[in-house]
Every structure is written in C-alpha cells, then in structure tokens.
C-alpha cells in the first residue's frame, strides 16, 4: 500500500500539531520537520548577536547566511528532532521564553521566509516527510500528497498549555496564556506573508474534545484512508501492481 510521500500539517499554536505529527512520523518511519524551529533558530541567532529581531534587513541577512540542519536524530532525551545551526546543537535553546517573545516578528519577515522556504523544500524533496507549520499546505508544499489542518478552540489550547506548564513544575496563569495565544493567532493569521490559512484541499481535524492519543490515532487514520483511496484510484486506472 503506497503511503503519501509528503504530509503537510498546519494549524494554530497549541493545536497539538507538533506532538501529533511527531507521533505519526514515528509510526510511519518518516522524518518530522517542525518548521517553527527554523524561525526560532533565526530568532535565537539574532538575540545572541545583539541584532534587533525587528531589524528586517539584518535578520534576513542572518537567515540567508545561517546553515540550518534538521535531522531525525533523537538522542534519547525527549527531543522530536535535532536542530544544528552553523554546527551547534540548539534543539533545546529555541524554546526559551525570550525566543517565544520575539519569534512572531521574525516569522513575519519576508526575507527570512524566503531563505527558510528553500531549506524546507530541500528537506521535503527526499520524501518520507511530515512537515508541520502554518503555511505548509498553502506555500511551502502546495503539492503535498496529503494535507491535514489540525485545530482546537482557543480555550482548549490555552488549557492544554496551562496544564503542560504545571506538569513541568513551572508557574502558570491561565488568563495570561490565553491572551498570549490569542495574540499569536492574530499575528500569525493576519500578517501579509504566508499567513496561517487552511488549504482548501486539507483534511480538517478538530482535536478540541480529543486526548493526545486520540488525536494521534485520528491523524494516523487519515493517512491510512489516503493510502486506501489511492490504491483504489490506481486499481481503477489499472496501474496497481
Ligand atoms: O510552531 P511554533 O510555536 O514553534 O512557531 C514559532 C513561530 O513561527 C510562530 O510565530 C509561528 C511561526 N511559524 C510560521 O510563521 N510559519 C511556519 N511554517 C511555522 C511557524
């Protein structure tokens, strides 16, 4: 049974798309590409070099010069991928609160997006890839074999983040998390370049009332349904083995 070579997964922050995509990638033996990590890497580089993340020219130049390498090396420390930038492993550093606070402006920079587009498409070209982000089905891989749009209500996404923080032993305030997510939703969907959009040919998966395991199973079933459907199409065309 043929599987989709490339799977594009989009959705808002906190929808569970990274956890779901990673788990599905593990089941299929695919590479999980978290495209948010690319924007986070450039944000981290800018902050380290004392460059204002809002300085579009300088940050775009930084993005063009950066050598970003994402691989499926899991190192058994809970990571979902390994991200090397200019040879340095920054997989964990890119999730700091400082990067969180500045990544939206970097992701809205057209020069940065152009530089990242080439790197992301190169990764997808080898196939066996599940790529998650905001504009994968619409801009990065408009010809992806399968597109999934993962969604959940803002209330549910805030609640999940809140519980994650408490579980990690961090301090958390539900109202602040809710407001932060609401603002990021707005920036991500209203920006001029590559806004968060549901591709018309994406399968919609609402995870609001699903547990993580149920969401993973639902996404996996979408992949299997694609494979079954394409097997029938091939049989109808007489091209099946
Ligand atoms: O998914 P994340 O929280 O790691 O994303 C970080 C930021 O990058 C967030 O502001 C959305 C943005 N992003 C984007 O603009 N396009 C993508 N394909 C992935 C992430």
């Amino acid at each position: 049974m043929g599987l989709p070579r490339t799977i594009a997964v989009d959705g808002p922050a906190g929808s569970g798309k990274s956890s779901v995509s990673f788990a599905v990638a593990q089941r299929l033996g695919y590479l999980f590409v978290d495209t948010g990590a690319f924007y986070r890497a450039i944000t981290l580089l800018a902050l380290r070099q004392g460059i204002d993340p809002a300085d579009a020219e300088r940050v775009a130049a930084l993005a063009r010069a950066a050598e970003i390498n994402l691989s499926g090396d899991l190192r058994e420390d809970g990571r979902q991928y390994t991200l090397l930038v200019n040879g340095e492993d920054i997989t964990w550093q890119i999730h700091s609160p400082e990067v969180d606070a500045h990544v939206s402006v970097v992701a809205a920079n057209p020069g940065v997006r152009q530089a990242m587009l080439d790197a992301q498409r190169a990764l997808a070209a080898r196939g066996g890839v599940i790529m998650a982000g905001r504009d994968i089905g619409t801009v990065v891989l408009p010809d992806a074999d399968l597109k999934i749009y993962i969604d959940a209500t803002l209330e549910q996404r805030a609640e999940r983040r809140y519980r994650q923080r408490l579980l990690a032993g961090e301090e958390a305030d539900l109202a602040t998390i809710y407001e932060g997510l609401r603002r990021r939703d707005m920036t991500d969907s209203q920006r001029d370049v590559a806004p968060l959009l549901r591709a018309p040919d994406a399968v919609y998966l609402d995870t609001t009332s699903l547990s993580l395991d149920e969401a993973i199973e639902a996404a996996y079933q979408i992949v299997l349904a694609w494979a079954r459907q394409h097997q029938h199409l091939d049989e109808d065309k007489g091209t099946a083995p």
Side-chain angles (χ1 to χ4, degrees):
M1 182 164 65
L3 290 167
R5 281 186 83 246
T6 45
I7 305 174
V9 180
D10 291 299
S15 58
K17 65 180 181 306
S18 296
S19 313
V20 169
S21 301
F22 172 66
V24 171
Q26 291 291 98
R27 282 204 202 177
L28 298 174
Y30 277 28
L31 174 68
F32 164 52
V33 179
D34 171 12
T35 55
F38 287 69
Y39 301 102
R40 291 176 174 275
I42 303 305
T43 308
L44 181 70
L45 285 182
L47 292 170
R48 278 184 179 177
Q49 296 183 22
I51 297 174
D52 177 359
D55 185 335
E57 280 300 311
R58 290 187 70 195
V59 178
L62 194 66
R64 283 189 291 270
E67 198 185 302
I68 302 189
N69 185 295
L70 186 144
S71 75
D73 178 358
L74 300 183
R75 307 263 167 102
E76 296 186 4
D77 65 356
R79 64 182 59 197
Q80 297 176 333
Y81 49 84
T82 288
L83 187 71
L84 300 181
V85 171
N86 303 328
E88 182 191 348
D89 183 351
I90 57 164
T91 311
W92 291 114
Q93 280 96 310
I94 58 171
H95 290 284
S96 71
E98 224 197 337
V99 171
D100 273 346
H102 294 97
V103 67
S104 281
V105 65
V106 171
N109 180 328
V112 172
R113 296 204 78 88
Q114 186 57 47
M116 298 301 108
L117 194 60
D118 297 339
Q120 292 165 6
R121 284 187 179 153
L123 275 173
R126 59 191 188 187
V129 165
I130 178 161
M131 187 175 281
R134 305 293 193 288
D135 62 335
I136 310 307
T138 51
V139 176
V140 183
L141 305 176
D143 297 325
D145 283 339
L146 172 63
K147 302 177 185 178
I148 305 176
Y149 188 91
I150 301 193
D151 210 356
T153 59
L154 178 56
E155 287 74 14
Q156 178 64 23
R157 290 184 284 125
E159 185 75 37
R160 287 178 189 164
R161 279 278 150 97
Y162 175 68
R163 273 188 267 129
Q164 269 169 4
R165 297 253 167 93
L166 292 187
L167 271 176
E170 296 167 17
E171 276 187 35
D173 174 58
L174 185 58
T176 312
I177 293 174
Y178 180 95
E179 188 48 30
L181 279 178
R182 197 184 63 78
R183 250 188 280 123
R184 270 178 66 187
D185 279 359
M186 251 181 7
T187 333
D188 291 344
S189 36
Q190 292 178 2
R191 67 178 178 220
D192 293 334
V193 277
L196 169 63
L197 267 181
R198 178 181 160 195
D201 51 348
V203 180
Y204 186 76
L205 175 58
D206 183 355
T207 68
T208 304
S209 58
L210 302 183
S211 68
L212 179 57
D213 283 347
E214 289 169 338
I216 292 166
E217 186 56 31
Y220 186 63
Q221 289 304 325
I222 291 172
V223 176
L224 296 187
W226 184 98
R228 276 194 300 273
Q229 195 191 353
H230 282 74
Q231 193 177 25
H232 289 142
L233 290 177
D234 287 347
E235 281 166 6
D236 289 347
K237 280 190 281 183
T239 54

